[in-house]
Amino acid sequence: MPKVTGYTPAWLSKPEPGFDLFTATSEDEKHALSLNGKGTSKPGPRRTIAHRGTEVFIAVGKEIRWADLVYLKETWEDKQQAQKGQARGKGKESFQTESRDGNAQGYRTIKTPVADDIRQLVISPTGNYLAILTTHTVHIALLPESSHLTAPDTGPMRLKTYTLGPTTHVTSQSGIASALWHPLGVNGTCLVTVTEEAVVRIWELSTTDRWSFDRPTLTIDLKKLADGTSLDQDFGASVSGINKAFSPDSFEMEVASACFAGKGSGGWSPMTLWIAMREGDVYALCPLLPEKWSPPPTLIPSLTVSIVAKNAAMEDDFDIPESHKLLAQQQLAWFSDLDNQDPVHIESSMGEPPGTVYTRPAKPGKVPRLQGPFELDLAPEESDNELNDLLTDIFVVGEKIDAEQLMYGEEEELEMDDAEQEGLSAGIICLLTSSGRLSICLDLEGVEAQWLPTSKSRYSRFVQDIEIPSLLTFQVMETSRSSEIWEGSWPVFSPDVESRYSFYITNTTSITFVSLVPWVFRLETEMNEGNEGTDFRIELIAKQSSIRERVFTQKMHDTSAPLTASNLISDPDLGYFLLSATSHGPLALSFESPEAEMGLVRRERSPTYDSEPDKPLILCEPRPVYQPPHALAMSSGLTKLREKLGHSKYKRLLNEEVRMSPATLTVFTDVHKLLSEETHRLGSAAAELFRRCQRLQVDLQTQIRRANEVASRVDAITGNDTDDGPAVSANERLEERIQAAQDRQKQLAARIEKMRKQVTKGTNRELTDKEKVWVEEIHNLASKVLKEHEGDAVEDDNVPWRRYEEVEHIKEELLDQVSAEAQMAPSPNIKVPSEVRRVKMAKIKDLLDRESALVEATKNRLERLSMS
């Protein structure tokens, strides 16, 4: 899990401008925000923070605050450096901040035309549009450039805003459950809205066509679609309004949330809309496409491979049900219509490759079949607590893109991110309930495109034969404590920026990190390889839990300040950053970057790069900075109560003596009720302050103790812990210790080398092939030279030792013969000159010496080789 390195920084704390981003400006707004958290408003998701890079948009009441976090941080750092320079006596010359004095405070206020408090902010993929949602209305704002943040004008801004569906999304109609930007929309201009009454609408927005904000291009009533039998039926929403008559579908099909798998997923996932119903059912719409859509480069080829292979496998197989053949033929007809189109090439946003725009295929139809409700295999049993079964949010991770199958037989390599190629080849659906129960399910069968048949189709009777889809419940875990569960709780998901298989869960008072990485990649390996023992290993993987760690918890005094959905930002200036907020102020968490956790080496800096100063040693774990309770900053309501009494029928009592009467009792009762609430609130805040002071003492003692431990360790290293002997400088002591350590190291190295040699001599290890050949060659040479190896010698008369013996034998015979002849016959009186005799004798002795030396050298060499 990510390690928390710091909590809300100083540049987002009071009294800095960054703190004012998240708080109301007037007491009336603060009171309204507090009431919204106490359950007087309708429960639902709170996504009041959206970001575009390091720019954040925060909804506070009916207005939006727009700021750049990097600008706020740098402004605060400049101010701190200027204050340090002035404290050192350098004055204004130490640091120039005049360049920022004429600019804004780092944020702007955006006025909106909404009539109710903003509940959700959803920014488009390209960052050009911002969807502003209340409980029943949707407004689309055109976002300005970042340069407006640092403009000298600090007044409120009014953006170009369009009301989405002025006659559709209104207070008299159904509330808004989710608003999603379609991942396949052209340049991120397609918005999908899902109402609580299960009506899905697709809006293809264009600033040049105002009608695009008034009428959706496609409307689907899921209640009608669930009972549909053919494509010829009308599945549009009723124009007259909401049907007030009783229907079981009004409870079973009340939408809690909806989501797409994302543009980087494979197969049909990018065009599949998942809908989670409040009562626990899960549905899917595939393919849900706008009239004009732009697929990524890998989507069309991957669908081509899948559809063609499926139809080829079903063509001659008579055992396949007719319902499956119907779906395969529908997909083939859909792809044939798509293949016959001539796509339009457009320029995408900056940093993206050029895109292609297709038209939604007209065959088999524009309205897909509603798949579901999915059966949850191995689902947990129903509990007595109703909140355990009420869904609040859904999060889907699509299957990975199979690059090997996609580029099979192709010479070119497909350019894809490593994150898109890694992962699981099955979809993962995560469901979250009001009680904080998280269910992780696997879509092993895979959701594919399905349509209803036409009324004249011969396959219409096979519609009921289609099997009910199912999801395998892989794991169930709790993310909330029993004391944190209440009726208005609405936990939500927040995707992580570091991995598509990790996310954060934000509840009323807590933020929990969940990672599926420990088992995702191992499960994919087992599913692909399919070796012996796979069932046993998959069972072990199923028992291995996902990573679940709570990163933040605030005390639940009341529900007046619930946490908004977390936003994750990864930026070189901010780091790995989590941002959330309450109605009383911001909440920020700084995590250790994954590169630092993995120990990766940073790239080489340029010679002109100024290195950052070393961070101080952390003696204690980081903890949230104490913020005074909100009750201490609230003004008393007695003034407003007195003004209210001054305009009521009891105003005469304010100037008269106190008399016992029903009117006086009524006034005293109202005052007592107000004072009791305020005194209780102040008493709780004072008690919290007292406990914080006590905890501060304990923390201070702990820090002092740890500082002493570090100091003693430093003294032990430097040698300051001993007072014996003459005073020696720290450098000399360090050099002595280093020299002693080096000498000790050399001694240990010598001992290790000596022991290694002894172990090598006493260890019988097998000979290598080269050594065996060398030994064999030595034995062969010894058998040829030495007589004692005669048994191993080859039968050959030309071996050296036999030739040597033969020479010796001939020598002895010649000597005997000469001696015998000398005795038998007198030597002839032949006189040989002495000079000739000496020359001949010298040659003979030389030859004999050379032969003797050669034989002796050969014997010595063989003896040395045998000994070694």
Side-chain angles (χ1 to χ4, degrees), residues 332-343 358-359 361 363:
L332 184 60
W334 180 86
F335 180 74
S336 298
D337 192 348
L338 186 67
D339 192 33
N340 293 331
Q341 296 182 18
D342 188 11
Y358 289 85
T359 302
K363 296 179 181 180

Side-chain angles (χ1 to χ4, degrees), residues 76 109 317 351 476 571 624 636 655 782 802 824:
W76 179 82
T109 301
D317 194 346
V476 178
D571 184 78
S636 176
N655 299 324
R802 288 187 177 179
M824 292 176 60

Side-chain angles (χ1 to χ4, degrees), residues 379 390 407 425 556 606 625 742:
L390 297 179
M407 302 304 295
S425 57
M556 192 172 179
S606 60
V625 179
Q742 291 178 351

Side-chain angles (χ1 to χ4, degrees), residues 489-502:
S489 178
W490 199 282
V492 293
F493 288 105
S494 297
D496 193 10
V497 294
E498 298 294 340
S499 174
R500 60 197 296 253
Y501 291 102
S502 60

Side-chain angles (χ1 to χ4, degrees), residues 403-414:
E404 296 181 0
Q405 180 181 2
L406 183 60
M407 302 304 295
Y408 180 76
E410 300 290 340
E411 297 181 357
E412 298 181 358
E413 294 184 359
L414 186 63

Side-chain angles (χ1 to χ4, degrees), residues 76 157 314 320 380 432 475 764 768:
W76 179 82
M157 298 177 58
M314 293 183 177
I320 297 178
L432 196 58
Q475 191 175 4
N764 294 327
T768 62

Side-chain angles (χ1 to χ4, degrees), residues 807-823:
V807 171
E808 290 288 340
H809 181 66
I810 293 173
K811 176 185 175 182
E812 292 177 356
E813 289 181 354
L814 291 175
L815 291 177
D816 294 341
Q817 185 178 358
V818 169
S819 59
E821 291 179 355
Q823 293 178 359

